[in-house]
Amino acid sequence: MESARLRTIAGLLFLIAGALILLGIITGEAVYPASYRTHWNTISDLGGMRPPLRIVRQPSATIFNATMIVTGPLIVAGGILLQRAVRRPVVTVPVGLLGAGILGVGLFPGNTDPHPLFALFTFLAGGIAAAVSYQIVTVPLRYVCLALGIVSLASLGAGLFLLNWGPVAELGEGGIERWIAYPVVLWLVGFGGYLTHR
């Protein structure tokens, strides 16, 4: 009974975090006070533009950074509760690392030097977390989780090593970054919903 309650609370935290991330990004993009294109602009540009520009545009920066600072700890807490419920560190450790990375993205926005490391860490942890979560879910969601994790990790590899290659170049840096991040956000919502139901 206790295990089921912990899973439900963890799932609710993941579901809330995923929804907040998606809505925070959409809101930040909608109110961005300058030209913003998903082909050119990364998601992190909402929090602060990369060097050498280092421009911070409000209110988008506050919305995006606050969203990351709130949702990161929610995911960490969910990972801790899930570990207590299922005792599967191979699944729960990447989830906790994803939350820590998201918190770091919010604390160190795109205009700061540590940001690229936190972003890369977050993308890697998120793809792994989604992929390995297949171990504790049932069919057909098992295949969806695995697929979302693989898509995220493959997109990360493409963004790092094939950015100038045909299809990736067409997406642009901002587009391929969304292929990395959005599968993880979708996984958070789906996985969270599954845990709350189970």
Side-chain angles (χ1 to χ4, degrees):
M1 194 67 174
E2 178 67 10
S3 174
R5 188 177 70 84
L6 292 173
R7 283 170 62 110
T8 299
I9 296 170
L12 186 60
L13 293 176
F14 297 149
L15 181 56
I16 291 169
L20 285 176
I21 290 169
L22 184 60
L23 293 172
I25 291 171
I26 290 170
T27 305
E29 289 175 344
V31 300
Y32 198 76
S35 176
Y36 185 91
R37 291 186 54 209
T38 56
H39 176 85
W40 300 108
N41 292 101
T42 65
I43 298 170
S44 294
D45 283 349
L46 295 171
M49 298 189 76
R50 293 160 286 172
L53 296 177
R54 297 186 190 270
I55 297 171
V56 175
R57 300 192 192 275
Q58 297 294 356
S60 296
T62 298
I63 293 167
F64 178 78
N65 295 332
T67 299
M68 299 302 110
I69 290 168
V70 168
T71 56
L74 290 179
I75 296 168
V76 171
I80 292 168
L81 294 175
L82 186 61
Q83 170 60 23
R84 289 177 55 196
V86 301
R87 309 277 184 213
R88 297 291 293 270
V90 70
V91 175
T92 57
V93 168
V95 171
L97 294 176
L98 168 63
I102 289 173
L103 176 61
V105 165
L107 293 174
F108 300 97
N111 58 310
T112 66
D113 292 329
H115 180 81
L117 294 175
F118 279 102
L120 179 60
F121 180 82
T122 301
F123 292 151
L124 188 60
I128 292 171
V132 299
S133 70
Y134 84 92
Q135 298 176 45
I136 61 170
V137 299
T138 57
V139 173
L141 187 60
R142 174 176 294 172
Y143 304 124
V144 174
C145 290
L146 185 59
L148 288 171
I150 290 171
V151 166
S152 178
L153 292 170
S155 299
L156 176 60
L160 289 174
F161 304 111
L162 300 171
L163 194 55
N164 295 317
W165 174 63
V168 181
E170 287 296 316
L171 286 171
E173 189 175 2
I176 195 64
E177 186 185 73
R178 284 158 176 82
W179 272 83
I180 300 165
Y182 285 162
V184 175
V185 175
L186 293 172
W187 165 76
L188 274 171
V189 173
F191 183 57
Y194 171 87
L195 291 173
T196 59
H197 176 69
R198 299 294 293 181

PDB file of all heavy atoms in Angstrom, residues 126-149:
ATOM      1  N   GLY A 126      18.101  13.053 -19.330  1.00  0.00           N
ATOM      2  CA  GLY A 126      16.698  12.921 -19.722  1.00  0.00           C
ATOM      3  C   GLY A 126      16.480  11.800 -20.717  1.00  0.00           C
ATOM      4  O   GLY A 126      15.538  11.000 -20.571  1.00  0.00           O
ATOM      5  N   GLY A 127      17.335  11.716 -21.731  1.00  0.00           N
ATOM      6  CA  GLY A 127      17.201  10.644 -22.706  1.00  0.00           C
ATOM      7  C   GLY A 127      17.390   9.281 -22.075  1.00  0.00           C
ATOM      8  O   GLY A 127      16.641   8.331 -22.355  1.00  0.00           O
ATOM      9  N   ILE A 128      18.385   9.177 -21.198  1.00  0.00           N
ATOM     10  CA  ILE A 128      18.633   7.901 -20.513  1.00  0.00           C
ATOM     11  C   ILE A 128      17.467   7.552 -19.600  1.00  0.00           C
ATOM     12  O   ILE A 128      16.996   6.405 -19.574  1.00  0.00           O
ATOM     13  CB  ILE A 128      19.961   7.962 -19.723  1.00  0.00           C
ATOM     14  CG1 ILE A 128      21.149   8.054 -20.697  1.00  0.00           C
ATOM     15  CG2 ILE A 128      20.101   6.757 -18.798  1.00  0.00           C
ATOM     16  CD1 ILE A 128      22.482   8.338 -20.028  1.00  0.00           C
ATOM     17  N   ALA A 129      16.969   8.533 -18.834  1.00  0.00           N
ATOM     18  CA  ALA A 129      15.854   8.280 -17.914  1.00  0.00           C
ATOM     19  C   ALA A 129      14.635   7.761 -18.665  1.00  0.00           C
ATOM     20  O   ALA A 129      13.991   6.793 -18.235  1.00  0.00           O
ATOM     21  CB  ALA A 129      15.503   9.558 -17.145  1.00  0.00           C
ATOM     22  N   ALA A 130      14.315   8.398 -19.790  1.00  0.00           N
ATOM     23  CA  ALA A 130      13.157   7.947 -20.567  1.00  0.00           C
ATOM     24  C   ALA A 130      13.373   6.529 -21.078  1.00  0.00           C
ATOM     25  O   ALA A 130      12.477   5.684 -20.989  1.00  0.00           O
ATOM     26  CB  ALA A 130      12.908   8.908 -21.729  1.00  0.00           C
ATOM     27  N   ALA A 131      14.564   6.262 -21.600  1.00  0.00           N
ATOM     28  CA  ALA A 131      14.832   4.947 -22.186  1.00  0.00           C
ATOM     29  C   ALA A 131      14.789   3.833 -21.149  1.00  0.00           C
ATOM     30  O   ALA A 131      14.197   2.778 -21.381  1.00  0.00           O
ATOM     31  CB  ALA A 131      16.175   4.957 -22.915  1.00  0.00           C
ATOM     32  N   VAL A 132      15.412   4.049 -19.987  1.00  0.00           N
ATOM     33  CA  VAL A 132      15.493   2.960 -19.005  1.00  0.00           C
ATOM     34  C   VAL A 132      14.199   2.777 -18.220  1.00  0.00           C
ATOM     35  O   VAL A 132      14.003   1.736 -17.599  1.00  0.00           O
ATOM     36  CB  VAL A 132      16.685   3.145 -18.032  1.00  0.00           C
ATOM     37  CG1 VAL A 132      17.997   3.152 -18.788  1.00  0.00           C
ATOM     38  CG2 VAL A 132      16.525   4.388 -17.172  1.00  0.00           C
ATOM     39  N   SER A 133      13.302   3.760 -18.282  1.00  0.00           N
ATOM     40  CA  SER A 133      12.048   3.634 -17.541  1.00  0.00           C
ATOM     41  C   SER A 133      11.176   2.517 -18.092  1.00  0.00           C
ATOM     42  O   SER A 133      10.219   2.094 -17.431  1.00  0.00           O
ATOM     43  CB  SER A 133      11.281   4.952 -17.536  1.00  0.00           C
ATOM     44  OG  SER A 133      10.767   5.242 -18.833  1.00  0.00           O
ATOM     45  N   TYR A 134      11.495   2.024 -19.289  1.00  0.00           N
ATOM     46  CA  TYR A 134      10.713   0.924 -19.861  1.00  0.00           C
ATOM     47  C   TYR A 134      10.701  -0.281 -18.918  1.00  0.00           C
ATOM     48  O   TYR A 134       9.787  -1.113 -18.973  1.00  0.00           O
ATOM     49  CB  TYR A 134      11.258   0.514 -21.234  1.00  0.00           C
ATOM     50  CG  TYR A 134      12.418  -0.446 -21.177  1.00  0.00           C
ATOM     51  CD1 TYR A 134      12.200  -1.828 -21.220  1.00  0.00           C
ATOM     52  CD2 TYR A 134      13.726   0.009 -21.068  1.00  0.00           C
ATOM     53  CE1 TYR A 134      13.265  -2.725 -21.143  1.00  0.00           C
ATOM     54  CE2 TYR A 134      14.780  -0.871 -20.988  1.00  0.00           C
ATOM     55  CZ  TYR A 134      14.550  -2.231 -21.033  1.00  0.00           C
ATOM     56  OH  TYR A 134      15.601  -3.109 -20.951  1.00  0.00           O
ATOM     57  N   GLN A 135      11.700  -0.360 -18.040  1.00  0.00           N
ATOM     58  CA  GLN A 135      11.818  -1.513 -17.148  1.00  0.00           C
ATOM     59  C   GLN A 135      10.709  -1.594 -16.102  1.00  0.00           C
ATOM     60  O   GLN A 135      10.469  -2.668 -15.544  1.00  0.00           O
ATOM     61  CB  GLN A 135      13.169  -1.485 -16.436  1.00  0.00           C
ATOM     62  CG  GLN A 135      14.354  -1.575 -17.378  1.00  0.00           C
ATOM     63  CD  GLN A 135      15.669  -1.451 -16.638  1.00  0.00           C
ATOM     64  OE1 GLN A 135      15.872  -2.069 -15.599  1.00  0.00           O
ATOM     65  NE2 GLN A 135      16.560  -0.647 -17.164  1.00  0.00           N
ATOM     66  N   ILE A 136      10.054  -0.469 -15.821  1.00  0.00           N
ATOM     67  CA  ILE A 136       9.043  -0.496 -14.750  1.00  0.00           C
ATOM     68  C   ILE A 136       7.653  -0.128 -15.248  1.00  0.00           C
ATOM     69  O   ILE A 136       6.767   0.161 -14.445  1.00  0.00           O
ATOM     70  CB  ILE A 136       9.445   0.398 -13.552  1.00  0.00           C
ATOM     71  CG1 ILE A 136       9.589   1.865 -13.967  1.00  0.00           C
ATOM     72  CG2 ILE A 136      10.726  -0.101 -12.910  1.00  0.00           C
ATOM     73  CD1 ILE A 136       9.745   2.806 -12.786  1.00  0.00           C
ATOM     74  N   VAL A 137       7.461  -0.096 -16.565  1.00  0.00           N
ATOM     75  CA  VAL A 137       6.123   0.146 -17.121  1.00  0.00           C
ATOM     76  C   VAL A 137       5.713  -1.041 -17.977  1.00  0.00           C
ATOM     77  O   VAL A 137       6.545  -1.860 -18.372  1.00  0.00           O
ATOM     78  CB  VAL A 137       6.057   1.462 -17.936  1.00  0.00           C
ATOM     79  CG1 VAL A 137       6.379   2.659 -17.071  1.00  0.00           C
ATOM     80  CG2 VAL A 137       6.990   1.414 -19.130  1.00  0.00           C
ATOM     81  N   THR A 138       4.437  -1.127 -18.265  1.00  0.00           N
ATOM     82  CA  THR A 138       3.921  -2.248 -19.037  1.00  0.00           C
ATOM     83  C   THR A 138       3.700  -1.843 -20.494  1.00  0.00           C
ATOM     84  O   THR A 138       3.704  -0.666 -20.848  1.00  0.00           O
ATOM     85  CB  THR A 138       2.592  -2.746 -18.443  1.00  0.00           C
ATOM     86  OG1 THR A 138       1.664  -1.656 -18.413  1.00  0.00           O
ATOM     87  CG2 THR A 138       2.788  -3.268 -17.022  1.00  0.00           C
ATOM     88  N   VAL A 139       3.506  -2.855 -21.324  1.00  0.00           N
ATOM     89  CA  VAL A 139       3.183  -2.655 -22.734  1.00  0.00           C
ATOM     90  C   VAL A 139       1.789  -2.017 -22.803  1.00  0.00           C
ATOM     91  O   VAL A 139       0.915  -2.386 -22.017  1.00  0.00           O
ATOM     92  CB  VAL A 139       3.197  -4.023 -23.449  1.00  0.00           C
ATOM     93  CG1 VAL A 139       2.712  -3.903 -24.878  1.00  0.00           C
ATOM     94  CG2 VAL A 139       4.586  -4.639 -23.378  1.00  0.00           C
ATOM     95  N   PRO A 140       1.538  -1.051 -23.698  1.00  0.00           N
ATOM     96  CA  PRO A 140       2.398  -0.564 -24.764  1.00  0.00           C
ATOM     97  C   PRO A 140       3.281   0.621 -24.367  1.00  0.00           C
ATOM     98  O   PRO A 140       4.153   1.023 -25.127  1.00  0.00           O
ATOM     99  CB  PRO A 140       1.405  -0.128 -25.832  1.00  0.00           C
ATOM    100  CG  PRO A 140       0.224   0.365 -25.045  1.00  0.00           C
ATOM    101  CD  PRO A 140       0.161  -0.525 -23.833  1.00  0.00           C
ATOM    102  N   LEU A 141       3.078   1.203 -23.169  1.00  0.00           N
ATOM    103  CA  LEU A 141       3.862   2.378 -22.773  1.00  0.00           C
ATOM    104  C   LEU A 141       5.352   2.042 -22.692  1.00  0.00           C
ATOM    105  O   LEU A 141       6.196   2.909 -22.909  1.00  0.00           O
ATOM    106  CB  LEU A 141       3.364   2.940 -21.441  1.00  0.00           C
ATOM    107  CG  LEU A 141       3.994   4.271 -21.015  1.00  0.00           C
ATOM    108  CD1 LEU A 141       3.721   5.365 -22.034  1.00  0.00           C
ATOM    109  CD2 LEU A 141       3.506   4.683 -19.641  1.00  0.00           C
ATOM    110  N   ARG A 142       5.686   0.792 -22.415  1.00  0.00           N
ATOM    111  CA  ARG A 142       7.079   0.367 -22.362  1.00  0.00           C
ATOM    112  C   ARG A 142       7.808   0.754 -23.649  1.00  0.00           C
ATOM    113  O   ARG A 142       8.900   1.297 -23.625  1.00  0.00           O
ATOM    114  CB  ARG A 142       7.149  -1.140 -22.146  1.00  0.00           C
ATOM    115  CG  ARG A 142       8.544  -1.718 -22.222  1.00  0.00           C
ATOM    116  CD  ARG A 142       8.526  -3.181 -21.909  1.00  0.00           C
ATOM    117  NE  ARG A 142       8.135  -3.357 -20.513  1.00  0.00           N
ATOM    118  CZ  ARG A 142       7.873  -4.535 -19.964  1.00  0.00           C
ATOM    119  NH1 ARG A 142       7.941  -5.626 -20.692  1.00  0.00           N
ATOM    120  NH2 ARG A 142       7.549  -4.615 -18.690  1.00  0.00           N
ATOM    121  N   TYR A 143       7.171   0.483 -24.790  1.00  0.00           N
ATOM    122  CA  TYR A 143       7.795   0.781 -26.083  1.00  0.00           C
ATOM    123  C   TYR A 143       7.835   2.277 -26.359  1.00  0.00           C
ATOM    124  O   TYR A 143       8.776   2.781 -26.984  1.00  0.00           O
ATOM    125  CB  TYR A 143       7.055   0.051 -27.201  1.00  0.00           C
ATOM    126  CG  TYR A 143       6.986  -1.439 -26.986  1.00  0.00           C
ATOM    127  CD1 TYR A 143       5.761  -2.096 -26.972  1.00  0.00           C
ATOM    128  CD2 TYR A 143       8.135  -2.189 -26.756  1.00  0.00           C
ATOM    129  CE1 TYR A 143       5.683  -3.455 -26.754  1.00  0.00           C
ATOM    130  CE2 TYR A 143       8.067  -3.556 -26.533  1.00  0.00           C
ATOM    131  CZ  TYR A 143       6.843  -4.196 -26.528  1.00  0.00           C
ATOM    132  OH  TYR A 143       6.775  -5.536 -26.313  1.00  0.00           O
ATOM    133  N   VAL A 144       6.821   2.989 -25.889  1.00  0.00           N
ATOM    134  CA  VAL A 144       6.786   4.439 -26.079  1.00  0.00           C
ATOM    135  C   VAL A 144       7.921   5.101 -25.295  1.00  0.00           C
ATOM    136  O   VAL A 144       8.631   5.971 -25.817  1.00  0.00           O
ATOM    137  CB  VAL A 144       5.416   5.018 -25.662  1.00  0.00           C
ATOM    138  CG1 VAL A 144       5.425   6.544 -25.720  1.00  0.00           C
ATOM    139  CG2 VAL A 144       4.312   4.456 -26.542  1.00  0.00           C
ATOM    140  N   CYS A 145       8.113   4.693 -24.038  1.00  0.00           N
ATOM    141  CA  CYS A 145       9.188   5.261 -23.213  1.00  0.00           C
ATOM    142  C   CYS A 145      10.546   4.995 -23.850  1.00  0.00           C
ATOM    143  O   CYS A 145      11.386   5.900 -23.950  1.00  0.00           O
ATOM    144  CB  CYS A 145       9.151   4.673 -21.804  1.00  0.00           C
ATOM    145  SG  CYS A 145       7.746   5.204 -20.813  1.00  0.00           S
ATOM    146  N   LEU A 146      10.754   3.768 -24.273  1.00  0.00           N
ATOM    147  CA  LEU A 146      12.028   3.408 -24.900  1.00  0.00           C
ATOM    148  C   LEU A 146      12.244   4.223 -26.168  1.00  0.00           C
ATOM    149  O   LEU A 146      13.332   4.759 -26.405  1.00  0.00           O
ATOM    150  CB  LEU A 146      12.050   1.909 -25.198  1.00  0.00           C
ATOM    151  CG  LEU A 146      13.358   1.339 -25.751  1.00  0.00           C
ATOM    152  CD1 LEU A 146      14.521   1.584 -24.792  1.00  0.00           C
ATOM    153  CD2 LEU A 146      13.202  -0.153 -26.030  1.00  0.00           C
ATOM    154  N   ALA A 147      11.204   4.354 -26.990  1.00  0.00           N
ATOM    155  CA  ALA A 147      11.319   5.100 -28.237  1.00  0.00           C
ATOM    156  C   ALA A 147      11.614   6.576 -27.983  1.00  0.00           C
ATOM    157  O   ALA A 147      12.465   7.178 -28.658  1.00  0.00           O
ATOM    158  CB  ALA A 147      10.038   4.956 -29.056  1.00  0.00           C
ATOM    159  N   LEU A 148      10.923   7.176 -27.008  1.00  0.00           N
ATOM    160  CA  LEU A 148      11.168   8.594 -26.706  1.00  0.00           C
ATOM    161  C   LEU A 148      12.599   8.811 -26.224  1.00  0.00           C
ATOM    162  O   LEU A 148      13.251   9.794 -26.600  1.00  0.00           O
ATOM    163  CB  LEU A 148      10.167   9.097 -25.665  1.00  0.00           C
ATOM    164  CG  LEU A 148       8.727   9.266 -26.155  1.00  0.00           C
ATOM    165  CD1 LEU A 148       7.796   9.561 -24.989  1.00  0.00           C
ATOM    166  CD2 LEU A 148       8.635  10.365 -27.209  1.00  0.00           C
ATOM    167  N   GLY A 149      13.099   7.898 -25.395  1.00  0.00           N
ATOM    168  CA  GLY A 149      14.479   8.014 -24.938  1.00  0.00           C
ATOM    169  C   GLY A 149      15.476   7.889 -26.075  1.00  0.00           C
ATOM    170  O   GLY A 149      16.439   8.657 -26.173  1.00  0.00           O
TER     171      GLY A 149
END
